[in-house]
Amino acid sequence: MTNSPESTLSVNITTEGVKNHIYPEGINKKKIEFLKSIINWLENNCEIDLVAEKLDVILKLSEKEGKIESGVMNNLIDSLYLSIRENHRFISSDVSVYLFETNKINNNYLNPEKYLLAYYPEKCNSSLYRFLLKSNYLGIDIGFQTLRDEFIAFITNRENYYSLALENLQFSVNNNPNIILTCLKFINYLYSTALPLATKNKYAFEIFSNSLQGMEFDLINEYHFFLTKQSKFLEPNLSKILNIFCICINLKTYSTVQ
């Protein structure tokens, strides 16, 4: 098969096989035009704001560590100082800044999801969350519907972002206690399916081990309490599920000690 000089061929290699993707003619020109349109929008709608607050810390770091050459470090420092300005809100997808926020270093941070939930809640549907997962967002709140839909796509070998949904269940990432109820609702759904019991147990382990990451023990005790309250829905598998939960707690404790 031959391609015109303007077309582009890429190869996607997955566990399911090798797929060719042929992009239409002029794709590179269109990409350049799109990027230029973003630059034009920024120039017409944004103001450059130098972060003068960081100068002192930059000087101190330079004295101790040598000159800061990393653009990533400079960006992180800028972002942190912008995110703690009074009467400001810092909207960013920067995972590093988000993790600082979950540790209460700053309180003016909004990721795009939180901004949309506050001002455009009608747009925050399952399609949006699939787009966020597809775009590799970390730190978003995964609801039951999103988790179930990605799981179904995963076990039926369709395009899915289930692994990233699992990563977003980590308490160290979302800092949201409501994730417990989402996980328990999913566990109820999981054990109502026709999957083999061993398979159900495997997926339950993944749900528990991810959601327990970074969770305080007081909250883990609540997690365990709510799980035991699900007994009428999870019988006759409750003892096995509780055992899986305890194994995940022990693994979490061991990794924390290490």
Side-chain angles (χ1 to χ4, degrees):
M1 179 174 58
T2 59
N3 301 321
S4 68
E6 294 295 323
S7 63
T8 303
L9 172 66
S10 68
V11 178
N12 184 26
I13 303 175
T14 70
T15 55
E16 299 175 1
V18 179
K19 296 180 180 179
N20 292 332
H21 295 278
I22 300 176
Y23 296 95
E25 293 185 5
I27 184 67
N28 292 330
K29 182 180 178 181
K30 291 180 180 179
K31 286 181 178 179
I32 292 172
E33 290 175 349
F34 174 70
L35 292 174
K36 284 183 176 179
S37 72
I38 294 178
I39 293 174
N40 290 335
W41 187 91
L42 292 173
E43 290 177 344
N44 294 328
N45 295 278
C46 301
E47 295 180 5
I48 296 176
D49 192 351
L50 300 176
V51 188
E53 304 98 304
K54 75 171 185 178
L55 294 179
D56 188 46
V57 69
I58 288 290
L59 290 172
K60 290 179 180 178
L61 286 174
S62 297
E63 290 174 359
K64 294 180 180 180
E65 309 293 339
K67 187 177 179 181
I68 298 177
E69 300 285 355
S70 171
V72 174
M73 178 59 72
N74 272 308
N75 181 67
L76 176 60
I77 294 173
D78 280 353
S79 299
L80 286 173
Y81 274 92
L82 287 171
S83 68
I84 59 177
R85 281 183 173 177
E86 292 185 5
N87 302 318
H88 282 69
R89 290 293 182 267
F90 183 72
I91 303 171
S92 173
S93 302
D94 192 320
V95 173
S96 300
V97 180
Y98 179 80
L99 293 177
F100 275 108
E101 191 277 338
T102 60
N103 287 303
K104 309 304 180 187
I105 289 179
N106 55 314
N107 55 17
N108 295 332
Y109 175 88
L110 288 174
N111 67 11
E113 177 209 11
K114 301 301 184 293
Y115 175 83
L116 292 171
L117 283 170
Y119 295 101
Y120 303 97
E122 71 281 359
K123 297 184 181 295
C124 298
N125 51 29
S126 57
S127 297
L128 169 68
Y129 280 91
R130 166 155 267 230
F131 169 78
L132 294 177
L133 289 173
K134 185 176 182 178
S135 302
N136 293 314
Y137 271 71
L138 191 62
I140 59 177
D141 291 332
I142 299 297
F144 168 71
Q145 181 179 348
T146 298
L147 185 60
R148 182 197 61 191
D149 291 349
E150 294 304 324
F151 175 74
I152 293 173
F154 170 70
I155 62 175
T156 54
N157 295 316
R158 292 181 284 125
E159 180 183 21
N160 70 89
Y161 309 99
Y162 181 64
S163 61
L164 191 58
L166 286 177
E167 193 172 354
N168 273 284
L169 291 181
Q170 297 178 31
F171 188 78
S172 58
V173 169
N174 58 63
N175 200 39
N176 182 5
N178 291 331
I179 206 67
I180 292 175
L181 300 179
T182 296
C183 291
L184 292 179
K185 191 173 182 180
F186 180 80
I187 292 295
N188 280 327
Y189 160 75
L190 175 65
Y191 280 87
S192 71
T193 66
L195 292 169
L197 180 59
T199 303
K200 296 176 183 178
N201 294 339
K202 171 181 176 291
Y203 292 134
F205 178 87
E206 291 178 346
I207 293 292
F208 288 140
S209 60
N210 277 278
S211 58
L212 285 167
Q213 291 298 316
M215 191 174 288
E216 302 93 341
F217 280 98
D218 287 345
L219 200 54
I220 291 175
N221 288 334
E222 290 187 31
Y223 203 159
H224 185 269
F225 171 77
F226 284 121
L227 179 58
T228 57
K229 295 286 284 186
Q230 302 287 318
S231 58
K232 62 181 179 180
F233 302 107
L234 295 174
E235 291 292 358
N237 302 303
L238 181 61
S239 60
K240 179 62 178 178
I241 296 170
L242 286 171
N243 185 52
I244 294 170
F245 185 79
C246 291
I247 290 173
C248 291
I249 293 176
N250 291 334
L251 290 173
K252 175 187 181 304
T253 304
Y254 177 77
S255 63
T256 301
V257 172
Q258 289 296 99

